[in-house]
Amino acid sequence: MVDLTRIMDDEVFMAFASYATIILSKMMLMSATTAFYRMTRKVFANPEDCVTFGKGENAKKYLRTDDRVERVRRAHLNDLENIVPFLGIGLLYSLSGPDLSTAILHFRLFVGARIYHTISYLTPLPQPNRGLSFFIGYGVTLSMAYRLLKNKLYL
Amino acid sequence: MVDLTRIMDDEVFMAFASYATIILSKMMLMSATTAFYRMTRKVFANPEDCVTFGKGENAKKYLRTDDRVERVRRAHLNDLENIVPFLGIGLLYSLSGPDLSTAILHFRLFVGARIYHTISYLTPLPQPNRGLSFFIGYGVTLSMAYRLLKNKLYL
Amino acid sequence: MVDLTRIMDDEVFMAFASYATIILSKMMLMSATTAFYRMTRKVFANPEDCVTFGKGENAKKYLRTDDRVERVRRAHLNDLENIVPFLGIGLLYSLSGPDLSTAILHFRLFVGARIYHTISYLTPLPQPNRGLSFFIGYGVTLSMAYRLLKNKLYL
């Protein structure tokens, strides 16, 4: 039997596991941030969520949208759209035997860029802060996809 | 050559594969549910979708939003936001050699909580049903992330 | 130590890696397409994005929605909702030792159907082009889930 625990002895794979876990945990923080703004600003999407603030017609006024909440939700969706390709392509890239230092450079750049993207989106910082951090993460993922397909294409 | 079919002899990995497949299939049901409500309630987002119900100006009245459809779409997006971290972190956690019964407890709690979350969202049940089931799933994923980073951090 | 680079000697896994990378790269194109339409049509979601087109009240008129942009965003979200289950279930299916030609048939059908789905959505082609391509991709993923659970269920 393959001793699966040994997969984690592979340094590239261990590095991928660490960076992927960190960026996924950061993405999960977006749910908590949305919940925080919804509670403190009393902005809800579902009637059953605002029952504690009033009954009937009185509760309906909390069913609204709010710039701050929508901003966090856009940042969250952008995370999903970018972290999913990173996870899929990054996992396969890690298994394709890349150079350790090249791989770690990719992972660090991606995680750094996505954290900076969130900061730029939520502060918000003036453009091109958010745009640049988006394109760095985007480029890193495409670079891994390119290396993967160049070496291992099998259709 | 590594006999990959043997990866499935690892019990933790097999359990992860089963629970991940079940929860992803449940998530896919949300697409079907959205389609069902769109057809039965005649609520569409694209002009080409309502051609069968009328032409020209007559068709435009079906381009609208509907509480029921929006509720399913919010539940679907919430699934995506929570199942993606579970998949990524759960896969890496499964490969990091956890205790079998601890791992299965994590998987069962997550899958149970997410199924209950969907029921709470679509019925809808009064709060805190949905809130609690959300936080159980959230906590399970963070617990796996914590164990992974504690044992295997490599930056 | 397990030589991880050898995982890529497994033909099913290599095929999965290639098709998954291709479809994820396609999905990433949707971000670029959204950005393209936002710039050329001057339609933005964030005040800081339209500063170059005017200051103060003058900039606010670019904070709007646009049919074309919303269409790309819906196609992107539909991609996410369908490619995430394909990635998770497809990875586990690839590791469960399926027949090579059956596996490749699944991957090809899925990737072809999703590319046609995007074309149908963005052109847009009349229904049932988009509906059919959606259901082919959906069916392929469910077929892999069924085979996985039939052979390897462990709860």
Side-chain angles (χ1 to χ4, degrees), chain C residues 50-67:
Chain C
C50 29
V51 164
T52 39
F53 299 110
K55 305 269 183 200
E57 287 306 310
N58 197 25
K60 272 192 190 156
K61 69 178 179 209
Y62 300 115
L63 293 177
R64 50 187 176 177
T65 56
D66 175 269
D67 275 359

Side-chain angles (χ1 to χ4, degrees), chain C residues 71-89:
Chain C
R71 182 175 282 277
V72 181
R73 293 184 65 216
R74 285 196 298 274
H76 197 169
L77 188 57
N78 194 284
D79 262 1
L80 256 183
E81 290 169 356
N82 287 281
I83 292 175
V84 165
F86 172 78
L87 282 184
I89 292 171

Side-chain angles (χ1 to χ4, degrees), chain B residues 18-155:
Chain B
S18 302
Y19 285 103
T21 305
I22 288 167
I23 202 64
L24 284 170
S25 306
K26 186 218 75 64
M27 190 176 89
M28 290 176 71
L29 265 182
M30 308 304 278
S31 300
T33 312
T34 305
F36 172 79
Y37 280 124
R38 282 202 185 283
M39 301 302 278
T40 53
R41 302 192 154 222
K42 301 203 181 74
V43 177
F44 299 100
N46 298 293
E48 69 268 27
D49 298 352
C50 29
V51 164
T52 38
F53 301 110
K55 305 267 183 203
E57 288 304 312
N58 197 24
K60 272 191 190 157
K61 69 178 179 207
Y62 300 115
L63 293 178
R64 51 186 173 176
T65 55
D66 174 89
D67 274 358
R68 197 74 215 162
V69 172
E70 293 307 306
R71 182 176 281 275
V72 181
R73 293 183 65 217
R74 286 196 299 273
H76 198 168
L77 188 57
N78 194 283
D79 261 1
L80 256 182
E81 290 169 355
N82 287 282
I83 291 175
V84 164
F86 172 78
L87 282 184
I89 292 172
L91 175 70
L92 301 167
Y93 167 78
S94 302
L95 296 173
S96 71
D99 178 58
L100 177 62
S101 59
T102 314
I104 287 185
L105 181 69
H106 279 83
F107 303 155
R108 278 185 191 155
L109 266 175
F110 183 85
V111 169
R114 292 309 303 180
I115 290 174
Y116 193 70
H117 182 270
T118 304
I119 295 170
S120 312
Y121 217 147
L122 299 191
T123 307
L125 299 178
Q127 287 286 23
N129 281 288
R130 195 181 94 232
L132 269 183
S133 57
F134 170 82
F135 277 111
I136 291 172
Y138 198 79
V140 166
T141 311
L142 286 185
S143 159
M144 293 194 298
Y146 171 73
R147 278 152 197 268
L148 194 53
L149 291 182
K150 198 183 64 170
N151 293 326
K152 302 282 176 184
L153 193 65
Y154 186 99
L155 296 179

Side-chain angles (χ1 to χ4, degrees), chain A residues 75-132:
Chain A
H76 198 168
L77 188 57
N78 194 284
D79 260 1
L80 256 183
E81 290 169 357
N82 287 282
I83 292 175
V84 164
F86 172 78
L87 282 184
I89 292 172
L91 176 71
L92 301 167
Y93 167 78
S94 301
L95 295 173
S96 73
D99 179 57
L100 177 63
S101 59
T102 314
I104 287 185
L105 183 68
H106 278 83
F107 304 155
R108 276 185 192 155
L109 266 176
F110 183 85
V111 169
R114 291 309 305 179
I115 290 174
Y116 193 70
H117 182 270
T118 303
I119 295 169
S120 312
Y121 217 146
L122 298 191
T123 309
L125 298 179
Q127 288 284 24
N129 280 288
R130 196 182 91 231
L132 270 182

